[in-house]
Amino acid sequence: MSDAADDILTKPLGVADKAARPRFALRSSAGAAAGIGGLALALLAGGVALTGDPRGGEPRAQAVIEIREAPAPRAAEAAPAAPKGPAQSASEVEQASGVTVFRPDGSSAPDAPVIIRVPNAAQVKLAPAPDPRLTERGRHGPLPRLGEGRLRPLDVYARPEEPGTGPRIAVLVSGLGIGENATLGAIARLPAAVSLALSPYGGDLEKTAARAREAGHEILLQLPMEPFDYPDSDPGPQTLLASGRPAENLDRAAWAMSRFSGFVGAVNFMGAKLMSEAAALEPVLKDLAARGLGFVDDGAAAGSQVASVGAKTKLPTARAEIVLDAVARPDAIDAELARLETLARQKSLVLASASASPLTIDRLSRWSRDLEARGIRLVPVSTILRRAGGVAKLSSAAP
């Protein structure tokens, strides 16, 4: 054998002459080929060189694994977002909060005058309506009724009279529920002790009635009644007629009473002819008495038989002694308000009626601002009706 053959047979495998053994090295660089993927990343990170590897040049890599704690979530990310409910309309927000926002001119412009009424924690609260004890189902919808133990809507839905002494005035403002602007204006601007009467022809009356009562106003229902010049003066399609059959008039009255809940009684809308004819008026007033309600004569018609028929049917009634805006001028209304104060000092308790015209609301609002400073208190209309109905204790807060 030759020496070369001996070398091959006697030398350990993988060991060659330094002169004959090829020498190669892999060094990390920025230009490492992309095809070797993870190897390139390792070479860049560690600067590893492979030389004279007994594994025959098989590539190797070392990587440093550093374990870090996950960063704490930011406050905004940690708390899940609160679920968003459905958008609410402005009227729904006002009703839920009790805050009333009113622009007298109906404008939405940012510089328009605004009246904001915020509920007072000490404000007199009215009982919830409708009360199931005082409600029955009629042909047209829910109707008020007398409850067990002769529990009357007149008593339950009444605004409690606040304590005090001295002359008292009750004011009933009618004609609300038709124009939204006028209705919201009356609710927002008038003192809560002023009673409000709603027309049965208005829209969304249940919501209007609830809003008025949440603001502290006692409410009544306007009953359309036949005037002398009917149909030239027309109270509407549900007018109670002097010539109408009792069943027909009662059905029309039931329609009106089903339009909203929470009222303490009714007041005439026009009606001079019907109220002057006792035979036609009696079935209507008898039905109101059986339901535990009261009735107010607004004082505009002469020859009214309401007081005598009311006494016969045992219905609590009252008649306004002054119609504040019979002459619709600021000076005339102010003069009637001054006369009303004089009459209150003479008689201790008086009732006045008025329409819901913007002029009347404005004059009433101005007049009432310092009324208590002049020694006179405003009370709800139910104060007079309940006294007339033989209730000795007008309210739990009565003097």
Side-chain angles (χ1 to χ4, degrees):
M1 273 185 200
S2 65
D3 294 337
D6 292 338
D7 289 340
I8 294 172
L9 294 175
T10 58
K11 289 184 179 180
L13 290 174
V15 178
D17 291 335
K18 292 184 179 180
R21 185 175 58 196
R23 184 175 182 178
F24 60 90
L26 293 176
R27 301 183 182 273
S28 64
S29 68
I36 59 177
L39 174 61
L41 179 60
L43 293 176
L44 288 172
V48 177
L50 300 177
T51 59
D53 191 340
R55 296 189 181 184
E58 181 182 349
R60 290 185 304 167
Q62 289 184 346
V64 178
I65 300 175
E66 183 178 353
I67 300 177
R68 297 181 180 178
E69 293 184 2
R74 290 177 296 179
E77 297 174 351
K84 294 182 179 180
Q88 291 182 301
S89 67
S91 61
E92 289 172 333
V93 171
E94 287 182 26
Q95 189 167 347
S97 65
V99 176
T100 301
V101 180
F102 170 68
R103 297 183 186 274
D105 61 355
S107 170
S108 59
D111 57 346
V114 176
I115 298 169
I116 300 176
R117 177 178 239 174
V118 179
N120 187 339
Q123 176 177 294
V124 173
K125 302 294 184 182
L126 277 64
D131 187 325
R133 301 172 300 170
L134 306 173
T135 305
E136 67 180 14
R137 188 71 186 175
R139 188 169 81 89
H140 303 286
L143 292 172
R145 72 176 181 91
L146 197 65
E148 293 184 11
R150 298 197 62 78
L151 186 66
R152 303 184 301 178
L154 173 57
D155 300 316
V156 174
Y157 297 143
R159 172 187 168 87
E161 181 184 346
E162 297 179 71
T165 58
R168 294 173 292 172
I169 292 174
V171 177
L172 175 61
V173 174
S174 299
L176 296 167
I178 298 292
E180 182 180 12
N181 199 45
T183 300
L184 293 179
I187 293 173
R189 301 187 65 193
L190 293 176
V194 172
S195 300
L196 306 178
L198 278 60
S199 166
Y201 299 124
D204 208 2
L205 285 174
E206 197 66 57
K207 182 182 291 186
T208 301
R211 176 172 288 186
R213 298 183 81 252
E214 285 168 3
H217 295 283
E218 182 179 86
I219 59 173
L220 288 88
L221 164 70
Q222 279 191 292
L223 275 181
M225 295 180 170
E226 182 182 0
F228 280 112
D229 57 349
Y230 179 83
D232 292 336
S233 294
D234 189 355
Q238 299 293 335
T239 298
L240 280 60
L241 302 172
S243 59
R245 292 179 289 109
E248 182 180 7
N249 279 341
L250 290 177
D251 185 68
R252 293 184 174 191
W255 175 86
M257 285 188 284
S258 70
R259 299 286 287 138
F260 61 93
S261 60
F263 52 90
V264 299
V267 57
N268 61 291
F269 174 45
M270 300 188 189
K273 182 175 177 62
L274 179 67
M275 292 192 299
S276 68
E277 299 190 16
L281 183 64
E282 183 174 337
V284 177
L285 299 192
K286 185 177 181 180
D287 182 64
L288 294 177
R291 296 184 180 281
L293 300 168
F295 186 84
V296 174
D297 178 342
D298 70 1
S304 171
Q305 300 296 308
V306 167
S308 59
V309 176
K312 181 179 179 181
T313 59
K314 299 183 179 180
L315 172 71
T317 63
R319 178 178 171 86
E321 300 184 62
I322 294 178
V323 180
L324 294 172
D325 52 359
V327 179
R329 294 196 319 267
D331 60 326
I333 295 173
D334 291 345
E336 290 297 84
L337 288 169
R339 187 163 74 91
L340 182 63
E341 289 189 40
T342 300
L343 195 59
R345 291 187 174 93
Q346 294 172 355
K347 301 182 66 173
S348 178
L349 176 61
V350 294
L351 170 63
S353 67
S355 73
S357 71
L359 173 61
T360 301
I361 299 302
D362 180 68
R363 303 320 297 175
L364 273 172
S365 176
R366 293 171 183 267
W367 166 77
S368 63
R369 287 173 189 167
D370 57 352
L371 186 62
E372 289 191 8
R374 299 195 297 274
I376 297 177
R377 289 188 296 126
L378 282 171
V379 296
V381 170
S382 61
T383 297
I384 298 177
L385 288 174
R386 298 170 78 189
R387 184 182 69 171
V391 179
K393 187 177 182 181
L394 297 180
S395 71
S396 59

